[in-house]
Amino acid sequence: MNIDMIRASAARAGGHVRRTPLLNSHFLDEIAGRRVWVKPECLQHTGSFKFRGAWSALSALEPDLRAKGVIAYSSGNHAQGVALAAKMHGAPAVIVMPSDSPRLKIANTRAYGAEVVLYDRANESREEIGAQLAGERGLTLIKPYDEPQVIAGQGTTGLEIAQQAAEAGIKKAEVIVCCGGGGLTSGIALALEAEAPGFRVRPAEPDGFDDATRSLVSGKIEGNASALGSICDAIITPAPGELTFPIMQRLVGPGLVVTDQEALQAMGHAFNRLKVVAEPGGAVALAAALFRGDQIEGDDVIVTISGGNVDADMFARALQTLG
Amino acid sequence: MNIDMIRASAARAGGHVRRTPLLNSHFLDEIAGRRVWVKPECLQHTGSFKFRGAWSALSALEPDLRAKGVIAYSSGNHAQGVALAAKMHGAPAVIVMPSDSPRLKIANTRAYGAEVVLYDRANESREEIGAQLAGERGLTLIKPYDEPQVIAGQGTTGLEIAQQAAEAGIKKAEVIVCCGGGGLTSGIALALEAEAPGFRVRPAEPDGFDDATRSLVSGKIEGNASALGSICDAIITPAPGELTFPIMQRLVGPGLVVTDQEALQAMGHAFNRLKVVAEPGGAVALAAALFRGDQIEGDDVIVTISGGNVDADMFARALQTLG
């Protein structure tokens, strides 16, 4: 896992993965007390950065293997990223989803051309179902974060940040990244180590699900007590990955933790001042920049909005925080 | 008014005006029955394309004149565009606004550094107040659309569309533009005449406020019966401009008219599928692409989302259309 893999991934992504802009607003700067720069990956294909990693993995596969197809377990952003990336490569995709997933998510994943295999969360194992399908059809499993080509794809976000920050004259900054399993965080950290060594990456997480933050403190992989209880579903993972954690440990600064309510407020500010749609898990880094300024150093902070796949009801809750 | 002015405006804009991306979604393509490409000017500074024209006008002024300051009449997107562009040039700005403007708009315009002069809509003339202030202080009036450097600035949107469409392999397209006074529509039309002659520009307007559509049919400038009664406030102007209409007459195809309800639905789809915030007037072109497909030709349609300055209550109405 190194910068050359990220650069190679970026070369394969050209013309397929969207280059998202770097946004800012005087109003956000005022709240934060420093300049705030926002990388809105909600504008990426399928509405989250996950498409980058999925495209990276699909495009790196041997053509013979790719033609047989890929498989993923996810009811969320990774599912949609893999489904669309596979469709754009003309490769079959199987997504294994819990049968109680929201119908819209199932419908969307099918609309991106994937075969959805439903399983009963209580009585069936998705790993068994997946392994059987993979064996029968020769499908390649695309993991959501603990997979080098996926980390390389997420790292292309960091290459863009480095270039766009240089264009904006930013020489030194903290870069706050919405952190689930650590694919985006470690990918961006590797890219910036090479391209913008004055930048320091830091993970942002929701209160009660701060596994990365605690793992960075203790020096070993720590898990969350629960998998339920936050609205930030996109970034609730059991623990940092076996591949991502050592990278984070080497390169990434202390974590920042925000409440669900602060994530909703950040969604409101993103609506009001940037005109982009953030989902709760995608808004934790912006929330940290706005509401944890005392834990941040320097004149410039760069944050990811990692995704925007939020339903109307939840978004209405965010609008209500604007008062 | 020609393409060289637009190119010169683009050169002055470099590094200051945001280059907005060109977005798309398989889901929108399905509704429209053709490929839909979206230029989200809601992501522009101040949340609308108006910043382009304001920057263009400010940057074209003689430095001596600019140092004395500029003045604009507007309670909306043009006010904010002029205020921020003036601030970024270090020039004073006076914005003449009705005293019954929403407090948030007054506060925002002030936050962009402008001096806000309020007037009583019933008993005072903004033109008189403006002329007096302009005379006393040597301020230059920046008109919202009937001003060559403003049209040139809006035209830079067209230069970007031409380049981004070429990158996406689009050779022929209808380009639907949200149309108020016609600054954006005529600017884009001039840019595409030079840079993408296979493209045809068409204005989109709300039902009952289709002055450009009717003017293009009759061949002379037609006004609207009323100035009130649409939620699409950003694009409700009395009639096409003296400068913009001849350009539109020469270059622009038939208008497209949508209902307020269709504009709200388009806002919902922009939220759901593109993760951007459109205001009602900024969503009429997307609404035309989605709901007037029978009046559109070809495989590709490109639309502007001209702005995103919408309050939370109105946006909640758009979310409700998603059902």
Side-chain angles (χ1 to χ4, degrees), chain B residues 77-119:
Chain B
N77 289 335
H78 180 59
Q80 293 183 54
V82 170
L84 182 61
K87 180 181 180 173
M88 289 164 75
H89 279 91
V94 176
I95 312 290
V96 184
M97 300 178 79
S99 53
D100 58 353
S101 301
R103 281 189 196 186
L104 187 68
K105 285 194 176 174
I106 296 174
N108 283 355
T109 308
R110 284 194 176 127
Y112 284 126
E115 176 185 343
V116 173
V117 174
L118 299 175
Y119 73 100

Side-chain angles (χ1 to χ4, degrees), chain A residues 18 23-24 26-27 42-43 45 47 84 87 108 111-112 271 273-277 308-310 312 315-316 319, chain B residues 18 23-24 26-27 42-43 45 47 84 87 108 111-112 271 273-277 308-310 312 315-316 319:
Chain A
R18 243 176 228 154
L23 305 177
N24 66 325
H26 294 256
F27 295 98
C42 47
L43 303 179
H45 290 291
L84 181 60
K87 179 181 180 172
N108 283 356
Y112 284 124
F271 160 83
R273 301 308 185 184
L274 301 172
K275 314 303 176 189
V276 299
V277 175
N309 291 316
V310 54
F315 202 74
L319 293 178
Chain B
R18 243 175 227 154
L23 305 177
N24 66 325
H26 293 256
F27 295 99
C42 48
L43 302 179
H45 291 291
L84 182 61
K87 180 181 180 173
N108 283 355
Y112 284 126
F271 160 83
R273 301 308 185 185
L274 301 172
K275 315 303 176 189
V276 299
V277 175
N309 289 316
V310 54
F315 202 74
L319 293 178

Side-chain angles (χ1 to χ4, degrees), chain A residues 222-235:
Chain A
E222 309 272 355
N224 290 318
S226 167
L228 298 170
S230 169
I231 58 173
C232 300
D233 55 286
I235 59 167

Side-chain angles (χ1 to χ4, degrees), chain B residues 231-248:
Chain B
I231 58 174
C232 300
D233 56 286
I235 60 167
I236 303 303
T237 42
E242 300 285 344
L243 286 182
T244 59
F245 181 62
I247 301 168
M248 289 168 65

Side-chain angles (χ1 to χ4, degrees), chain B residues 34-54:
Chain B
R34 53 172 58 83
R35 282 185 295 270
V36 179
W37 304 86
V38 178
K39 183 73 173 164
E41 280 295 300
C42 48
L43 302 179
Q44 190 52 258
H45 291 291
T46 71
S48 90
F49 75 95
K50 290 284 189 180
F51 178 77
R52 292 183 186 260

